[in-house]
Amino acid sequence: MLQSHRFTLPRPSRRAALLGTAVALLLAACASLPPPLDPPSQLRAANRIGWGATTGQLDQIATQGWGRYVEQQLNADPKAPLPAFAEAQIAQLDITSKTLNERVQEVETLRKNQDKPPTEAERVVARQAYQNGLNKGSREAGHRFLLRALYSDQQLLEHISAFWFNHFNVHQYKREIRVLVSDYEDRALRPNALGSFRTMLGAVARHPAMLRYLDNDQNGIPRVNENYARELLELHTLGVDGGYSQRDVQELARVLTGFGVRLDPEDPKLPPKFNGQYVREGLYEFNPARHDFGDKQLLGQTIKGSGAKELDQVLDLLVAHPSTARFVSRKLAQFFLADQPPAAVVERMAAAFQQSGGDIKATLRPLLLSSEFASLPPAKFKDPQHYLLSGLRAGFEGQQMLNSQPLAGWLRRLGQGLYDRQTPDGYPPQAEAWNSAGQMSLRFEIARQMGGGVPALFKGEAADAPKPPPPPYKLDAPPMRSRIEPSLSPATRGALAQADSPQLWLTLLLSSPEFMNR
């Protein structure tokens, strides 16, 4: 008699199941990725997502594919280290080793003592010491910014961090903002640059740099100051045509009463009725004694008088407004792609902004993964920051900048000094702001200096600093030559072919019409 046997299929192991799931997710991800880019498109896309293409960046894009590269860039870590030589320089800065409060108190001491010496000559020295203390803060912040822009692999993060600084601009020469800008960049802007617009808006609204710059530290009853309220609506969220009224500005200014800055280590003495209402975080304070606790009417909504919480209610309202989605999305597309970006791309970005509640990654994907991002011919005229940084990244990849002051000086000469924009609208993005005859003449002069190797950038500031190594630029195998030349016009290629030295080749490239655009 035959015995019956039950045959059952073997159950997959947990490891095999996980592997199968991973493969399925990978296949799904691959199906949604954009098609591979050809080399000219890789060059255009690299020049737009960051501060200028390098051979290393182009190799990375070619190896990973554009879609995976974009996702990697979108998920950048603000704490990821730079190359060791750059990290070593940043570690030596006061803005790294000292807290903001320590640095502010140091310059406050200098300020209070500047008029105390008995003679005028001594007072001049003391006043200069105070100014030097202030200048050191912004000079160190600028050095760190330039190191990150030139050498970070996380080019999207560094690029968009500069965009947000310009969007939420502050001017260094107002009061002690020179000491505050490094903290403003690193605590309010950069950690949120690829995160939540709402979180960043709240961090900016409470940062002493913004509160000082737009005079909100002077906004309180009975004298309400509207400066910050107006720019918060016009420049930071809704846009000038965003549908708000003068009444909305006045009501928002009432919401913002009491938000200020306190340098005194001691908290203010307040009446008992304000117990539990006072807020202090570092140099930021909300002082209920200066706040208007009445109800406010803003954009058709009632904001109940409740103290510091009113601001969060208003910021939620502003971020959810369709005008904010359109305004911020268009500015981003204008910054990355073109003065007049494709309307369809901006609409997709604005829809993503609204659906995600202001998530910046979600807003950027429709732009970075659009066919236009890699395919549109370079038509965005480079502002001075883009021109200089892209020139250095292309010509001196791998060479270690030890002294950023020549670069900072060039930026000032070209009209885009770091932290120098006086008005709250930030530096303009349009070509007409930067393509004057005077600007071009200066660029040609600087191109000649860059072609000569700019040794001052690559040696320390001290007189006994070591002599820099020769530029790694070789006429027979320039790092970017094979990538760049196919994108140039016959006339430019013909001019470059006449160059009899690597210095002249680089000078001509940086002076060419094609290198002025991205």
Side-chain angles (χ1 to χ4, degrees):
M1 184 177 177
L2 293 175
Q3 292 182 331
S4 64
H5 296 277
R6 296 179 62 195
F7 292 95
T8 57
L9 292 172
R11 298 181 64 184
S13 67
R14 176 176 171 78
R15 183 179 179 184
L18 289 174
L19 180 61
T21 302
V23 169
L25 290 173
L26 182 61
L27 291 173
C30 289
S32 63
L33 291 175
L37 302 181
D38 59 21
S41 299
Q42 292 169 8
L43 181 64
R44 284 192 290 268
N47 277 327
R48 286 172 175 152
I49 200 171
W51 287 113
T54 61
T55 53
Q57 185 185 17
L58 291 170
D59 289 344
Q60 201 175 356
I61 292 171
T63 302
Q64 293 183 318
W66 180 243
R68 290 189 180 88
Y69 181 78
V70 166
E71 284 303 315
Q72 184 190 62
Q73 293 290 305
L74 286 171
N75 290 287
D77 177 4
K79 297 181 179 178
L82 295 173
F85 80 92
E87 284 295 320
Q89 291 183 48
I90 292 173
Q92 293 176 355
L93 303 176
D94 276 5
I95 59 173
T96 304
S97 61
K98 297 180 180 178
T99 67
L100 175 63
N101 192 56
E102 287 172 337
R103 291 184 289 113
V104 167
Q105 294 307 325
E106 284 180 2
V107 295
E108 268 294 282
T109 301
L110 293 171
R111 183 187 67 78
K112 292 174 181 175
N113 292 334
Q114 63 181 337
D115 294 321
K116 291 182 178 177
T119 69
E120 179 58 21
E122 290 172 314
R123 288 193 288 274
V124 168
V125 172
R127 289 169 193 149
Q128 190 57 53
Y130 170 52
Q131 292 301 319
N132 290 342
L134 291 170
N135 290 336
K136 187 176 185 179
S138 56
R139 188 175 68 249
E140 290 192 348
H143 184 61
R144 185 180 63 185
F145 165 80
L146 293 171
L147 285 171
R148 287 170 170 169
L150 287 172
Y151 300 108
S152 174
D153 288 335
Q154 302 184 125
Q155 280 291 292
L156 175 60
L157 172 64
E158 306 310 332
H159 203 202
I160 198 171
S161 293
F163 168 84
W164 290 124
F165 188 96
N166 204 50
H167 183 80
F168 295 109
N169 184 55
V170 299
H171 181 229
Q172 63 167 320
Y173 289 112
K174 188 165 184 177
R175 301 183 68 177
E176 70 280 87
I177 290 178
R178 277 171 280 178
V179 185
L180 303 175
V181 287
S182 61
D183 187 78
Y184 184 55
E185 285 181 323
D186 259 28
R187 208 161 51 83
L189 301 177
R190 200 161 173 271
N192 303 305
L194 290 168
S196 162
F197 180 77
R198 168 65 182 85
T199 302
M200 181 162 50
L201 194 64
V204 168
R206 292 173 174 83
H207 198 279
M210 182 57 73
L211 294 169
R212 284 284 205 236
Y213 175 58
L214 290 177
D215 305 317
N216 205 75
D217 57 331
Q218 301 171 37
N219 181 20
I221 55 171
R223 286 180 294 188
V224 176
N225 186 307
E226 297 177 3
N227 285 0
Y228 182 35
R230 186 175 308 282
E231 308 308 355
L232 179 51
L233 295 176
E234 179 179 327
L235 298 176
H236 298 170
T237 56
L238 304 179
V240 67
D241 300 317
Y244 66 90
S245 66
Q246 174 58 23
R247 174 68 186 278
D248 291 317
V249 174
Q250 294 167 339
E251 293 293 278
L252 179 53
R254 292 178 59 213
V255 170
L256 288 165
T257 49
F259 288 85
V261 179
R262 188 171 183 83
L263 303 185
D264 192 328
E266 301 295 327
D267 291 346
K269 298 186 184 307
L270 298 172
K273 67 177 181 178
F274 293 127
N275 284 347
Q277 294 268 14
Y278 182 74
V279 179
R280 184 165 188 181
E281 296 168 5
L283 303 179
Y284 152 75
E285 73 165 3
F286 171 75
N287 187 336
R290 298 174 51 241
H291 183 67
D292 180 345
F293 276 88
D295 293 348
K296 293 91 177 173
Q297 298 295 320
L298 186 70
L299 299 172
Q301 302 285 322
T302 298
I303 309 297
K304 299 291 291 182
S306 58
K309 296 177 183 176
E310 296 170 40
L311 178 58
D312 287 319
Q313 189 178 346
V314 169
L315 297 183
D316 289 342
L317 184 64
L318 292 174
V319 172
H321 200 287
S323 292
T324 299
R326 289 193 295 270
F327 179 63
V328 172
S329 296
R330 191 172 192 284
K331 278 193 72 172
L332 283 165
Q334 201 173 37
F335 176 77
F336 281 100
L337 186 55
D339 287 355
Q340 300 298 327
V345 173
V346 176
E347 287 176 11
R348 293 199 295 273
M349 294 173 69
F353 185 100
Q354 276 205 281
Q355 291 166 6
S356 65
D359 182 85
I360 297 167
K361 288 189 185 72
T363 305
L364 286 176
R365 279 195 186 93
L367 171 69
L368 302 178
L369 299 178
S370 69
S371 59
E372 292 90 339
F373 194 80
S375 65
L376 283 182
K380 178 76 179 173
F381 192 81
K382 293 178 180 177
D383 61 23
Q385 287 184 8
H386 283 100
Y387 175 69
L388 293 174
L389 292 172
S390 62
L392 290 172
R393 281 174 59 80
F396 301 93
E397 182 177 358
Q399 191 150 336
Q400 301 176 6
M401 181 180 70
L402 300 175
N403 174 17
S404 63
Q405 287 309 295
L407 177 53
W410 286 340
L411 286 169
R412 280 194 297 274
R413 289 182 66 195
L414 290 170
Q416 202 179 19
L418 298 174
Y419 322 120
D420 273 359
R421 179 69 173 179
Q422 292 189 23
T423 52
D425 56 348
Y427 286 112
Q430 297 89 351
E432 55 264 31
W434 306 111
N435 61 5
S436 68
Q439 172 88 191
M440 298 309 294
S441 177
L442 268 176
R443 289 191 185 198
F444 297 151
E445 179 192 331
I446 292 171
R448 183 181 54 78
Q449 295 181 49
M450 292 171 73
V454 282
L457 277 178
F458 303 110
K459 66 179 180 180
E461 294 182 71
D464 58 350
K467 184 179 180 181
Y473 213 76
K474 298 178 182 177
L475 184 61
D476 58 344
M480 287 293 287
R481 181 170 183 165
S482 62
R483 252 67 181 257
I484 290 178
E485 284 200 339
S487 68
L488 304 177
S489 69
T492 300
R493 288 202 300 272
L496 291 174
Q498 305 301 312
D500 58 3
S501 70
Q503 291 77 15
L504 182 57
W505 190 93
L506 183 58
T507 300
L508 292 174
L509 173 69
L510 300 183
S511 303
S512 67
E514 291 91 336
F515 202 81
M516 297 296 164
N517 293 283
R518 61 184 173 94

